Structures are given as C-alpha cells and as structure tokens.
C-alpha cells in the first residue's frame, strides 16, 4: 500500500489544521473584494470632465498670461485738433493686459482732456485697442473780464483765445474770475443762449450778435436788428419767444421803432 500523503493537501500553522484554498485571510480579502465590486463606479463620461477640468483651467491661465495679450498698439480715430500722442499718453494703455483695461477708466482719463467729449473703446485681439473719440465742438466765446474762452454747447471751457474779431457768438459774463480749460461756466445761460441763437433767425428774422449775462439780470441778447431783449432765465421760454414775435411783428406793421424789450415779467413785457 502506498501511504504517501500529498503535501499540498494539509498544512499546519500555529498548531491548527489548514486546508489549502480555505485560508481565513484569503476569505477576508475575497469578501472585501466582493463588497468593493458591488459599489457602482461612475461612467467615463462623468470621470473624464473631472480629470480634464484642472488641465483646461491651467491651459487657459497659461494662455491668458501670454505676452501677446499685452497692449502693443493703440489706434486713435476721430481726432481733429488733438494729437494722437497726447491721447495715447493720457490713456496709459501700453503694456497692460488687453482684457484687463477698463473702458470706464479709459473714458475718465480721456474725457479729462478739455477737447474730448466721449470715447468708444474697441479691442482687437490679441494686443490692439482702438479708441474712437468725439471732440467737443466750439460753439461760443465766453468773456470774463478781458479774457476770452472758447466754450462748447455744454459750457465746457476748451481753451483761452486771443482778442481777435469773434466769428462765434459771444457771451459776456459779469464775473471776471479766471477759468482753466476743462472748467465749466454756468450751464443755464449757455443753454439759453444756444436756444436763442437757433430760434431768433427763423422766428423774428434777426441774429444774435452777442449775449450778456449777470446773476441779477440773467441773459440779455443783443441782435443785429438794432434792438436787444432780456430773457432772464430759460423759464417759460416758448411764451417769451411768442411774446417777442408778437411785439416785433406789431412794431414792423405799425412802423414803430424800439431798442429794448424785457421779457422777464410774463404777460407784462417792458418795451423801450
């Protein structure tokens, strides 16, 4: 008889009999594996975006910080009296990131120049910016004392001008305080002077030669028809203009001459 025993069938550990394939450690790992296998894993459609997101973010940051996005060229459009160099210097854009510059900050910097009224900013990637400017249009001459200033329709002082024959309407102020370019004169008399300068020719057939303004008397218009009219302020302007038209037409029809009309008192105008 063959009493040989296969060595792989029986083994001993710590005095206990262990059958091959029935190890407690292996059984434990099998249970753990089965538990883990029972947990549902996310699909690749969900995993890939989570893995790719940091890589995409890092790539975008790297691209954003590339030197090519630094402003290298500034184009200026719409200039008439200002040099492009002054505009570019005031905008302070060169070397800044093209996407980080603020349109509002650019507009504030440029509209600080007396001649600039508005600014439109256009970005041309990767590193160009175009500035389209609207300059203020000279409308009249504001005279304070013996100094004359060029102003626009909003009363913004554009520059000091020499004492030459005026080609624009003149508003003579009762104040002699000096002004600087960029400052604003009282807006109400300027608005009223603009309205009268446009309204008088078609309404009564005369043009305004100049205007005089004082805080007490308001605005006085001196016409090329040989008479003047004091409007005071712009309140009830349509009524004042209608009254002036009636006075002028009546005087012409009756061949009555007059030199001054005071329209500040509503239905009781003063005529001289």
């Amino acid at each position: 008889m063959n009493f040989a025993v296969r060595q792989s069938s029986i083994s001993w550990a710590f005095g206990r009999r262990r059958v091959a394939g029935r190890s407690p450690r292996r059984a434990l790992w099998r249970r753990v594996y089965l538990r883990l296998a029972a947990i549902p894993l996310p699909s690749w459609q969900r995993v890939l975006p989570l893995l790719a997101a940091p890589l995409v973010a890092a790539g975008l940051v790297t691209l954003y910080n590339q030197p090519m996005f630094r402003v290298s060229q500034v184009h200026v459009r719409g200039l008439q009296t200002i040099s492009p160099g002054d505009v570019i210097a005031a905008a302070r854009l060169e070397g800044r990131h093209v996407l980080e510059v603020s349109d509002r900050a650019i507009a504030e910097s440029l509209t600080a120049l007396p001649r600039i009224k508005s600014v439109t900013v256009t970005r041309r990637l990767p590193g160009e910016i175009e500035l389209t400017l609207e300059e203020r249009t000279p409308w009249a001459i504001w005279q304070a004392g013996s100094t004359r200033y060029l102003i626009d329709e909003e009363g913004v002082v554009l520059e000091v001008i020499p004492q030459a024959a005026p080609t624009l309407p003149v508003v003579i102020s009762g104040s002699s305080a000096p002004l600087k370019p960029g400052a604003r004169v009282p807006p109400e008399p300027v608005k009223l002077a603009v309205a009268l300068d446009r309204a008088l020719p078609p309404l009564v057939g005369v043009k305004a030669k100049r205007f005089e303004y004082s805080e007490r008397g308001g605005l006085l218009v001196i016409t090329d028809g040989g008479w003047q009219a004091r409007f005071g302020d712009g309140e009830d302007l349509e009524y004042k203009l209608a009254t002036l038209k009636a006075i002028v037409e009546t005087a012409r029809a009756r061949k009555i001459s007059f030199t001054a009309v005071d329209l500040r008192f509503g239905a009781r105008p003063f005529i001289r």
Side-chain angles (χ1 to χ4, degrees), residues 19-180:
V19 179
R22 299 290 182 179
S23 167
R25 181 177 296 177
R26 290 185 178 181
L28 175 62
W29 279 109
R30 182 174 180 80
R31 289 196 300 272
V32 172
Y33 171 77
L34 292 176
R35 292 288 181 88
L36 293 175
I39 299 175
L41 296 177
S43 64
W44 284 108
Q45 294 178 348
R46 297 178 180 178
V47 173
L48 283 178
L50 295 177
L51 296 176
L55 298 177
V56 172
L60 290 176
V61 171
T62 302
L63 180 63
Y64 184 86
N65 291 322
Q66 291 298 308
M68 64 180 178
F69 290 110
R70 299 290 170 180
V71 178
S72 58
Q73 295 185 34
V74 179
H75 306 284
V76 184
R77 303 283 185 267
L79 293 181
Q80 296 178 355
T81 61
I82 309 175
S83 69
D86 291 342
V87 173
I88 294 173
R92 299 189 298 272
L93 294 174
E94 300 234 358
R96 299 177 62 186
H97 198 287
V98 70
L99 299 178
E100 291 179 358
V101 294
S102 166
D103 292 6
R104 181 176 180 180
I106 295 173
E108 289 178 351
S109 298
L110 294 182
T111 52
L113 299 175
R115 285 277 185 172
I116 302 301
K117 185 176 184 179
S118 65
V119 182
T120 301
V121 181
T122 304
R123 290 169 176 79
R124 302 188 185 281
L125 298 178
E128 297 183 19
I129 286 184
E130 181 176 294
L131 304 175
T132 303
L133 308 179
E134 179 186 0
E135 289 193 21
R136 295 186 179 276
T137 303
W139 172 79
I141 297 169
W142 182 272
Q143 183 171 330
S146 59
T147 308
R148 290 184 169 187
Y149 305 90
L150 197 63
I151 63 172
D152 75 340
E153 292 187 354
E154 297 178 355
V156 177
V157 178
L158 304 181
E159 62 182 67
V160 180
I161 60 174
Q163 293 287 346
T167 57
L168 296 172
V170 178
V171 182
I172 300 176
S173 171
S175 171
S176 59
L179 300 170
K180 293 182 178 180

Side-chain angles (χ1 to χ4, degrees), residues 217-240:
L219 192 69
L220 172 72
V221 55
I222 299 169
T223 72
D224 61 359
W227 51 267
Q228 61 188 31
R230 186 174 294 278
F231 283 80
D233 55 26
E235 187 176 357
D236 296 329
L237 180 58
E238 291 185 4
Y239 179 81
K240 292 176 181 178

